[in-house]
Amino acid sequence: MSALMSGARMLVECLVREGVDCMFGYPGGVTLPFYDVLYDRQIRHILVRHEENAVFAAEGYARATGKVGVCCATSGPGATNLTTGLVDALMDSIPIVAITGQVSTMLIGSDAFQEADTFGITRSATKHNYLVKNLEDLPRIVHEAFYVASTGRPGPVLVDIAKDVFQGQGHYQPVSSIHLPGYKVFTEGHAGQVKRAVQLLRESSRPLVYAGGGILAAGAAGEFREFVELTDAPVVQTLMGLSALPSEHPNFISMPGMHGSYAANMALTETDLLIALGVRFDDRVTGRLAGFAPHAKVIHVDIDPAEIGKNRAPEVPIVGDLKRVLPKLNKLLSEAPSAGERISEERRAWRRRIRQWKDEHPFSAETSDSEIKPQSLMREIDRLSGGQAIVTTDVGQHQMWAAQLIRFNEPRLWITSGGLGSMGFGVPSAIGAQFARPDKLVFAIVGDGGFQMSIPELSTIAANGLPIKIVVMNNGYLGMVRQWQTLFFNNRLCGVQLDCFPDAEKLAAAYGFQGAVVEKPSELAAALERAVRHPGPYLLNVKVSPMECVYPMVPAGGAISEMVLGPPQAEAAAAI
């Protein structure tokens, strides 16, 4: 006979069966029955200081592990505060299950205290969402939520649970299977299209792999590396795809796009075959579409059929899971005869050309004896991480410099907000990543703008003794916005100067851990080393040159071959 239990206990039982070991949340009146049951169970609850950060932390956990991240909030403002994080997870395809409380079913629609139409508000912010008004539906819906979040193209799923469902009593029946006839996931890839892709690969003289976050989402980094080594094709990795192939791999070029390298963008412009794996041809990569890979045939592999042909029509579309499609490509490639001598020589020339582009136009190595250059900061962090640390970031200039200059030699080390570009992401996502990987050194690299959106989470870090190294790249501005105003709005700086920043040493001390300020280039390396050696959390405020701009840069509306490689004066001097 099935056990009699409350809805709240059923929910916790379902979470345990899904393998949830920790969750991030903020309690409230409607969710009290759920928290009462959590008190007795093995799921660890991490109290964040703002509900938005619960989703960001769950994203950090999911990105670092490949598992579904879980967060929870109460009704009304608790639920609405999740929305930015849910959209962030949706745009970056991160598997999240968000649990929210709702007023009792008899009060829904009556403007009850802390009532909000969470189901309606989050419809476009999630991959799918549910409103649970009947206790008997709860176990099925919770398990469906985890299944939908983690299969196909991953994404956030919200489960909104009425208070009387939490409180109700019923007989719990474990769910043994998921039945969603309207939910189709295409995993295998069309065999004929896979063969066509291999044929195009054999015929190409200038192949290029364009790799995205779909490789990491599929857990296919090993299969991807085998594919790269079988084809010996150069590789560019998007902001979300970084760490899929080790940075030190000889085939890796860099990140492409608006702030990608000259070599990556020119390779995209000159390639004759673009192998697009787990990407969505985002505008930050493609620039003006008409100028993107104009000479290339395209093979596009993605699990989401909606992405195939959305921005660029491929010659060979393959809808499928990269974890399953790549082994099929690899098998055929290993069996296929080698390319002819002419093709082989053309490919050798192609690789030499890309190496020449890299040598002629490396990412900026700016240094100064009088002020700390942001590039120097990133290179020092790279030196200390050795390609092995987890790095989370906020959004802006520091994010781009980190993506350009820090190496990642294992999958799932790079955690950033891509599609939505959410400021305040870096610190809470580092919390989730550190809980997920307590064995790893975790850097949260943030700007002075984004950091001040997430200061409350210093309390979460301190309360849990998390040894996160928070590095604030402090230039006194909303740097990326300032850069655009400088370059494209006649230097009319408006609303971008951050006039006041807290004393890092005192701020950290107020939360019970250590902090320091670094202002001189000669002090930078030693300060970072002290932070890394320190066994607990550490806040480092690094004051960098305020007017530095991120280069290369593709202006809005430009083709990616139309890069600005440096400050206007330097560009003009180089042209003389």
Side-chain angles (χ1 to χ4, degrees), residues 3 25 36 53-54 80 96 104 106 149 167 170 184 203 228 245 298 302 316 320 326-327 415 420 432 464 480 513 567:
D36 188 57
N53 295 329
T80 58
I96 299 293
S104 296
M106 67 172 61
Q167 295 173 317
K184 303 292 184 184
E203 296 169 354
V228 169
L245 187 73
V298 175
D302 201 279
V316 181
L326 282 172
I415 298 173
L420 192 62
N464 292 279
M480 191 61 84
F513 60 91

Side-chain angles (χ1 to χ4, degrees), residues 451-466:
F451 173 70
Q452 292 183 89
M453 294 185 177
S454 54
I455 283 178
E457 297 311 323
L458 296 182
S459 177
T460 307
I461 291 170
N464 292 279
L466 300 175

Side-chain angles (χ1 to χ4, degrees), residues 47-127:
L47 175 66
V48 295
R49 274 36 176 189
H50 191 285
E51 292 91 351
E52 177 182 276
N53 295 329
V55 192
F56 290 158
E59 285 189 80
Y61 178 92
R63 293 275 296 275
T65 62
K67 295 171 63 177
V68 176
V70 181
C71 58
C72 59
T74 193
S75 62
T80 58
N81 281 343
L82 295 179
T83 308
T84 296
L86 293 172
V87 179
D88 190 89
L90 182 67
M91 291 196 72
D92 286 347
S93 304
I94 310 301
I96 299 293
V97 168
I99 296 161
T100 54
Q102 184 53 272
V103 299
S104 296
T105 52
M106 67 172 61
L107 295 177
I108 292 175
S110 69
D111 295 330
F113 176 67
Q114 290 196 330
E115 181 190 1
D117 180 15
T118 303
F119 181 75
I121 290 167
T122 62
R123 185 186 296 273
S124 62
T126 54
K127 183 179 177 182

